[in-house]
Amino acid sequence: MEMKKSIRMKAAAAAIAVAGALGMVHEAAAQANEIFVPVLVYRTGAYAPNGVPWADGFVDYLKLVNERDGGVNGIKLAFEECETGYATDRGVECYERLKSKKPVAVNPLSTGITFALTEKVAADKIVLMTTGYGRSESADGSVFAWNFPLLGTYWSAADMLVQHVAKKGSLKGKKIALVYHDSPYGKEPIKVLEEHAKKHGFNFIKLPVTHPGVEQKATWLQIRQQRPDYVFLWGWGVMNSTSIKEAIAVSYPRLQMYGVWWSSAEPDVLPAEAAAKGYNGITLGHSSEKGLPVHKDMLKHLYDKGKGTAAKKESVGEVLYNRGMLSALLLVEGIKVAQGKYGKRVVTGEEVRWGVENLNIDAAKIKALGVEGMMQPVKTSCRDHEGVRKGRIHTWDGTAWSYTSEWLEADNKFLRPMVEAQAKAYAAEKKITPRDCSKEK
């Protein structure tokens, strides 16, 4: 009886999932006069606590542009979600399934999926937007024409964190531990931190954590034994909150912990409640700003009409909601730039690639977009696909995030030679002829 009941429940769930998917496909294919945007998400599994708010913010901004503005210069945005579970193979499956709808860009929210798609997007002429993540060397657009790690790479984040702790005193002879997700994402900052260890004379300790990150007792036992002066956390999903709880268990000071911008949001600290007080993170230019004009528009045009994506309107303005929202905003701005050159019509992926490569979002534009205080000016080019590399430290006070540092800017003179060297090695491996950026217009 229980087996039959289970089978019936699974069949019903499958039917609902299929019906929902078909509904979204119908919406996405309703009109030919639309620009299609695939939305790769993970609303289930160990990474859902962090994946859900990002997806809500991303989708809400697409909806807002349609509801408030009537689309991008009159062209509506169509979208369809596809669940990846943060698994690279499922992410590639989603991409392959949705690319038949002629998307202009994809933002997979996964460094692993980014690595898997880098060659594919170039062949398919689909922009790969990796806002605050992805391959750090893809900041070099001469080699990575289709990758855009906008707002900051992991190398920039690592550099800013070292800058910040170095201001507290000489790092010579000190210990910095990196507790990282044992994946392409978690390994990204290692190269820069190794170089900084040589430069500053600190002892760099690497502590990988196996997916999904719920077993960390051995890791934090090492931290208790070695007592590093600082711990940098490069985690995601349940790994982050687990790390903070384990730090509490071994009495490691939260004030000496710094998370990357994917390890310093509400889902990371709320499970430990007030005990997480003092935990820090480097921001991707924004924190948990609420009540800005863009947030008011979200409430007015979506949530007051029952069209919002998040389960509760109070989520609007949380750290990862803002991250997803800004990720979609950058895509929309890239579409606008493309339309400015090619015409106010349905633009192609190749045209949007040009648009994203020629972004120039200054302070006045940021204010006009309703996100003043959440973004620094962004200017991209053939040579620079990152656009900006600034952040601040924010600290959890037990109930909310607040900024506790001045603006930091990654040292591009230090980072750029590494970016170019790794990009050059990739180009040689893949037999790519780098573009001559002096000839790009």
Side-chain angles (χ1 to χ4, degrees):
M1 180 65 73
E2 287 300 317
M3 183 177 290
K4 289 181 179 179
K5 182 178 179 182
S6 176
I7 291 171
R8 285 198 301 270
M9 289 177 68
K10 288 179 179 177
I16 291 170
V18 170
L22 288 174
M24 283 188 286
V25 169
H26 176 72
E27 180 184 353
Q31 297 181 38
N33 192 34
E34 292 177 329
I35 295 171
F36 180 68
V37 179
V39 186
L40 274 57
V41 301
Y42 30 96
R43 295 185 178 277
T44 61
Y47 302 97
N50 300 65
V52 168
W54 184 94
D56 290 344
F58 190 93
V59 170
D60 271 353
Y61 195 79
L62 299 181
K63 289 181 178 178
L64 179 65
V65 170
N66 284 341
E67 291 287 328
R68 181 192 63 191
D69 308 332
V72 187
N73 288 314
I75 307 298
K76 288 292 185 75
L77 299 170
F79 60 89
E80 180 180 341
E81 289 192 11
C82 188
E83 175 70 34
T84 71
Y86 195 61
T88 298
D89 57 347
R90 289 176 66 184
V92 173
E93 287 173 9
C94 283
Y95 171 82
E96 293 293 347
R97 181 169 69 80
L98 294 175
K99 75 178 184 181
S100 63
K101 298 180 182 293
K102 298 181 179 180
V104 295
V106 61
N107 197 321
L109 194 58
S110 160
T111 297
I113 299 173
T114 298
F115 272 69
L117 295 183
T118 293
E119 290 182 72
K120 291 178 179 291
V121 294
D124 297 330
K125 300 189 185 309
I126 298 170
V127 180
L128 183 55
M129 298 185 74
T130 59
T131 315
Y133 66 95
R135 311 179 69 119
S136 295
E137 71 272 27
S138 68
D140 185 349
S142 71
V143 173
F144 295 90
W146 293 87
N147 294 56
F148 289 86
L150 295 167
L151 301 188
T153 67
Y154 292 136
W155 290 3
S156 291
D159 181 76
M160 287 188 283
L161 284 174
V162 173
Q163 284 186 44
H164 178 71
V165 296
K167 290 179 180 179
K168 297 177 179 293
S170 173
L171 295 177
K172 188 174 183 179
K174 292 189 175 179
K175 300 177 183 177
I176 295 180
L178 175 69
V179 176
Y180 66 96
H181 192 277
D182 195 9
S183 66
Y185 153 58
K187 296 173 183 176
E188 270 287 302
I190 291 175
K191 181 179 179 66
V192 167
L193 292 174
E194 287 176 337
E195 291 300 314
H196 268 303
K198 296 174 189 174
K199 177 181 176 182
H200 292 277
F202 62 80
N203 180 25
F204 177 42
I205 305 165
K206 293 178 285 187
L207 298 172
V209 175
T210 305
H211 157 84
V214 292
E215 294 295 333
Q216 297 186 44
K217 293 195 179 299
T219 300
W220 289 89
L221 177 60
Q222 291 185 64
I223 288 174
R224 186 173 70 180
Q225 293 169 341
Q226 300 197 45
R227 301 305 293 182
D229 295 278
Y230 300 104
V231 170
F232 293 169
L233 178 60
W234 235 265
W236 190 226
V238 295
M239 175 183 161
N240 293 333
S241 57
T242 301
S243 290
I244 293 172
K245 288 178 180 178
E246 292 295 343
I248 294 166
V250 300
S251 299
Y252 188 83
R254 266 69 71 206
L255 282 167
Q256 292 165 232
M257 293 179 68
Y258 291 85
V260 69
W261 41 65
W262 299 109
S263 301
S264 51
E266 289 85 358
D268 308 321
V269 291
L270 286 174
E273 299 177 331
K277 183 178 180 180
Y279 176 74
N280 310 282
I282 182 69
T283 66
L284 192 67
H286 69 88
S287 182
S288 55
E289 290 87 354
K290 295 188 176 186
L292 296 181
V294 70
H295 300 126
K296 292 176 181 177
D297 282 352
M298 289 290 189
L299 298 177
K300 176 182 176 181
H301 294 280
L302 300 182
Y303 287 84
D304 289 351
K305 299 177 181 179
K307 296 181 179 181
T309 309
K312 54 181 182 177
K313 65 181 181 181
E314 289 75 16
S315 298
V316 174
E318 291 181 349
V319 174
L320 292 172
Y321 181 97
N322 284 340
R323 183 86 38 82
M325 180 185 72
L326 291 174
S327 298
L329 179 151
L330 289 165
L331 168 58
V332 170
E333 291 309 300
I335 292 172
K336 288 178 184 176
V337 175
Q339 288 179 328
K341 179 179 175 68
Y342 298 103
K344 295 178 180 180
R345 54 170 172 77
V346 175
V347 282
T348 66
E350 198 161 14
E351 291 166 343
V352 171
R353 193 209 68 77
W354 186 91
V356 180
E357 189 170 85
N358 288 276
L359 287 174
N360 187 9
I361 306 174
D362 60 14
K365 182 65 172 176
I366 289 170
K367 184 175 182 178
L369 289 168
V371 294
E372 188 176 24
M374 292 177 60
M375 263 180 70
Q376 290 291 292
V378 178
K379 186 174 177 60
T380 54
S381 65
C382 166
R383 187 173 182 273
D384 182 11
H385 277 198
E386 190 176 4
V388 64
R389 44 192 66 81
K390 292 182 179 181
R392 284 182 284 183
I393 300 298
H394 68 171
T395 303
W396 183 250
D397 68 6
T399 58
W401 293 103
S402 60
Y403 292 116
T404 52
S405 83
E406 298 299 319
W407 281 103
L408 298 160
E409 183 171 11
D411 184 355
N412 210 32
K413 289 183 179 179
F414 175 74
L415 295 175
R416 188 67 191 188
M418 286 185 275
V419 168
E420 291 181 354
Q422 195 144 317
K424 184 178 179 181
Y426 179 87
E429 178 191 346
K430 301 298 181 182
K431 295 180 172 55
I432 297 170
T433 301
R435 293 184 295 159
D436 182 350
C437 288
S438 67
K439 296 180 180 178
E440 293 291 322
K441 294 182 179 180

